[in-house]
Amino acid sequence: GPMYIGEFEKDMDLVEEIINRDYSNCFTEEHAKAQERPPSRPILSPDRSLGSVINLLAPDDDLYTDEHNDYVKDIPNHIRAIVFAIKRLSKPEWKGDWKSHFTVDEVNGAPGHELKVDGRALVGSYLRVGLDKNTGNWRTYKLRQDFISADKVQMED
């Protein structure tokens, strides 16, 4: 389904804050010494993978400081999903100007809520896993931005 954004300007300012944040002190002292790469690599750096960004923005009491864990716990899920989408779709030729590529349409004179990149609507992938025992509603989970489904080819019976 489409990726929705609450208040475009406010949400994108928060996304920009997350992308530009200095993560150099995110690891506990023990894990900082064991790291092969510096944690301060910018989120949109080609040297940082989407998986690395997903790990960076997920709390881990063993790996990260309490301050970093508190920070990432306070990031709303829809904002985190937008950061992941921007990481997935950003291109080196944008030279850090990712913000101008993400927009929403104007609806009835006000900003809309469907996020677009270069005029193309962003679509998130969701997985339905059974029904909730108590409510009977589908249990739905958003898949990672780097998830690409595979086709199964059966060779024999």
Side-chain angles (χ1 to χ4, degrees):
M3 287 191 71
Y4 288 101
I5 190 164
E7 297 178 46
F8 181 72
E9 291 296 328
K10 180 181 169 190
D11 287 355
M12 291 307 269
D13 287 346
L14 184 53
V15 167
E16 184 173 35
E17 175 190 312
I18 293 165
I19 287 174
N20 293 335
R21 182 180 170 87
D22 177 12
Y23 294 95
S24 60
N25 295 319
C26 67
F27 287 109
T28 61
E29 194 172 315
E30 177 185 332
H31 283 89
K33 292 175 185 173
Q35 291 302 308
E36 294 176 18
R37 298 183 197 169
S40 59
R41 298 185 318 266
I43 283 184
L44 297 182
S45 167
D47 294 331
R48 187 181 282 281
S49 68
L50 176 59
S52 171
V53 174
I54 290 169
N55 289 335
L56 181 68
L57 298 181
D60 184 329
D61 292 334
D62 294 329
L63 193 59
Y64 299 121
T65 63
D66 291 340
E67 178 187 1
H68 178 76
N69 285 328
D70 291 343
Y71 175 76
V72 298
K73 286 175 186 173
D74 286 341
I75 299 172
N77 284 333
H78 74 283
I79 298 294
R80 194 182 328 259
I82 293 167
V83 172
F84 297 156
I86 290 169
K87 173 60 180 171
R88 171 83 168 88
L89 298 168
S90 67
K91 300 175 183 174
E93 57 265 23
W94 291 357
K95 299 188 188 318
D97 179 29
W98 59 268
K99 208 169 182 181
S100 68
H101 295 270
F102 291 84
T103 59
V104 291
D105 289 334
E106 193 171 298
V107 179
N108 296 329
H113 299 285
E114 185 178 23
L115 189 60
K116 296 183 174 199
V117 60
D118 292 330
R120 195 179 80 235
L122 289 178
V123 178
S125 297
Y126 297 86
L127 178 65
R128 292 191 306 192
V129 184
L131 300 172
D132 184 277
K133 288 187 244 179
N134 299 322
T135 64
N137 295 333
W138 279 104
R139 295 183 332 160
T140 306
Y141 298 91
K142 185 169 185 324
L143 300 174
R144 285 175 42 157
Q145 292 296 324
D146 59 346
F147 175 79
I148 299 172
S149 62
D151 290 327
K152 180 179 177 183
V153 178
Q154 186 170 346
M155 301 303 284
E156 298 178 19
D157 287 340

